[in-house]
Amino acid sequence: MHRQDKMFTFLLICTLTSLLTLGHASLPLVINTWPFKNAAAAAWSALQSGGSVLDAVERGCARCEMEQCDGSVGYGGSPDESGETTLDALIMNGDTMEVGAVADLRRIKNAIGVARAVMEHTEHTLLVGESASVFAENMGFIAEDLTTNKSVNIFSEWLKGSCQPNYRKNVSPEPSKSCGPYRPKATWKQSKRARHANIHAHDTIGMIALDRDGHAAAGTSTNGLTHKVPGRVGDSPIVGAGAYVDSLAGGAAATGDGDVMMRFLPSYLAVELMRAGVDPSAACKSAISRIKRHYSEFFGAIICANTTGHYGAACNKVPGLDKFHFMVANSETNAPVLKSVDCF
């Protein structure tokens, strides 16, 4: 069977099986990754009170930032190798295809707000590092310390444990046994260290909002990977990877091992599949399957919603993740409802 025929067969099977679990079409719609109920409620409230889809996404993600959802969103979580917490966020307008994003943001708690400021007050798409923080301060955002007692303790315990786990390879001293500073090995063999599938190290909030008039928006917010190399940027602020939306097709948002997932632009792929008529559940499954072909044990999930209000989700089955939970609010539920999908 030709490769194209295999892909068509796979999508057909996904479409037929997902019809049994496909989310009912109902607008407006808010859907977000993980059981972050308060985030979904904030976004739904924004829509119900006359706010735009961009308002909904911003308020939903901001709620998670303030509540430090699972320690993986907002201040005081996921310290890097130097003990610092930095933030990444993205927001996208599905009508205009404008995007605002920040990465490696320091001192500013409201990362999603800064991302929207990038979109609305510059011609750029992505600002990073110290310069992004200075931009935020100039835009009126308050500079605050993102460190908390919890993040200090996480960092201290990591140091006591010989800096395990970390994300170095082919360096000296041996990174699986020692802390840095690290230097490249004079000679080394290509090695593939086991990746760390910690369910609480990747819980980015990704959110999609659609209203009755056909407007759509998507966004993400995260404090990244715990013990990351300083300066590391994952998939969350990368358009097409962390999230993507087009009001003519739908939206998608991903969560998981961003270093792997960003190489495949799963959110973009899912939206393009929905544009071609594939239902959201099948589009999600196809995006996950594309990654699985190369990284069978990667940790990740994706949510999808099309312009009619149908929605779906998919996840890769690995130890610690056999079912993926997400939140949905629409005109049928009129409140956030916890949904789940079995991983495959």
Side-chain angles (χ1 to χ4, degrees):
M1 184 181 290
H2 293 297
R3 186 171 183 177
Q4 293 90 337
D5 295 332
K6 289 181 179 179
M7 176 57 71
F8 175 79
T9 302
F10 171 78
L11 289 174
L12 179 61
I13 292 172
C14 286
T15 299
L16 292 174
T17 56
S18 62
L19 287 175
L20 299 174
T21 57
L22 185 64
H24 295 296
S26 184
L27 292 173
L29 169 71
V30 169
I31 178 172
N32 63 259
T33 55
W34 305 108
F36 300 150
K37 183 177 180 179
N38 291 344
W44 182 249
S45 176
L47 284 181
Q48 293 300 95
S49 61
S52 69
V53 287
L54 286 170
D55 294 333
V57 168
E58 181 183 4
R59 292 179 194 176
C61 290
R63 177 65 64 87
C64 244
E65 291 173 348
M66 293 310 299
E67 293 185 356
Q68 304 166 283
C69 287
D70 241 4
S72 61
V73 181
Y75 68 101
S78 302
D80 62 20
E81 282 187 347
S82 63
E84 184 177 13
T85 294
T86 58
L87 308 180
D88 303 336
L90 171 150
I91 192 166
M92 184 170 187
N93 184 333
D95 293 345
T96 65
M97 308 307 289
E98 291 176 297
V99 177
V102 290
D104 195 26
L105 182 71
R106 299 174 169 86
R107 302 191 304 279
I108 309 295
K109 290 183 177 180
N110 184 202
I112 190 70
V114 181
R116 188 169 181 179
V118 171
M119 181 176 69
E120 296 184 341
H121 299 294
T122 80
E123 295 291 338
H124 303 312
T125 292
L126 172 65
L127 296 182
V128 302
E130 178 63 22
S131 297
S133 302
V134 172
F135 166 80
E137 291 175 34
N138 290 339
M139 290 292 102
F141 291 86
I142 299 172
E144 302 176 79
D145 188 357
L146 302 187
T147 301
T148 62
N149 289 336
K150 180 179 179 181
S151 64
V152 169
N153 289 337
I154 292 172
F155 180 59
S156 297
E157 290 302 312
W158 181 72
L159 290 176
K160 292 177 184 177
S162 300
C163 302
Q164 302 301 309
N166 63 64
Y167 297 90
R168 304 281 185 161
K169 65 180 182 180
N170 303 318
V171 294
S172 180
E174 173 54 49
S176 65
K177 300 177 182 178
S178 305
C179 296
Y182 302 104
R183 296 289 182 270
K185 286 184 177 178
T187 60
W188 55 271
K189 295 180 180 180
Q190 183 66 40
S191 63
K192 189 174 182 180
R193 290 185 63 185
R195 300 194 67 84
H196 316 288
N198 178 357
I199 192 168
H200 295 295
H202 303 277
D203 298 359
T204 305
I205 182 169
M207 178 174 282
I208 308 159
L210 301 95
D211 67 16
R212 287 191 179 91
D213 298 320
H215 305 298
T220 64
S221 185
T222 185
N223 53 34
L225 192 61
T226 306
H227 313 311
K228 63 193 174 188
V229 177
R232 179 263 189 187
V233 175
D235 63 328
S236 298
I238 306 303
V239 62
Y244 194 77
V245 64
D246 184 336
S247 296
L248 299 178
T255 181
D257 187 343
D259 290 297
V260 167
M261 297 180 75
M262 69 191 300
R263 302 168 191 173
F264 298 87
L265 299 179
S267 296
Y268 176 78
L269 173 59
V271 170
E272 292 307 301
L273 288 170
M274 289 188 288
R275 188 191 308 278
V278 177
D279 76 73
S281 293
C284 280
K285 289 178 181 177
S286 183
I288 293 294
S289 294
R290 177 73 61 87
I291 305 172
K292 285 184 68 167
R293 287 207 294 269
H294 296 271
Y295 297 92
S296 60
E297 297 180 359
F298 88 99
F299 175 94
I302 186 170
I303 54 173
C304 303
N306 65 17
T307 55
T308 64
H310 285 103
Y311 59 86
C315 50
N316 188 34
K317 188 174 183 178
V318 293
L321 185 69
D322 56 9
K323 189 182 291 286
F324 174 62
H325 293 86
F326 58 100
M327 301 302 305
V328 172
N330 57 28
S331 57
E332 287 186 352
T333 65
N334 204 35
V337 175
L338 182 64
K339 301 284 185 176
S340 67
V341 62
D342 291 329
C343 301
F344 71 101

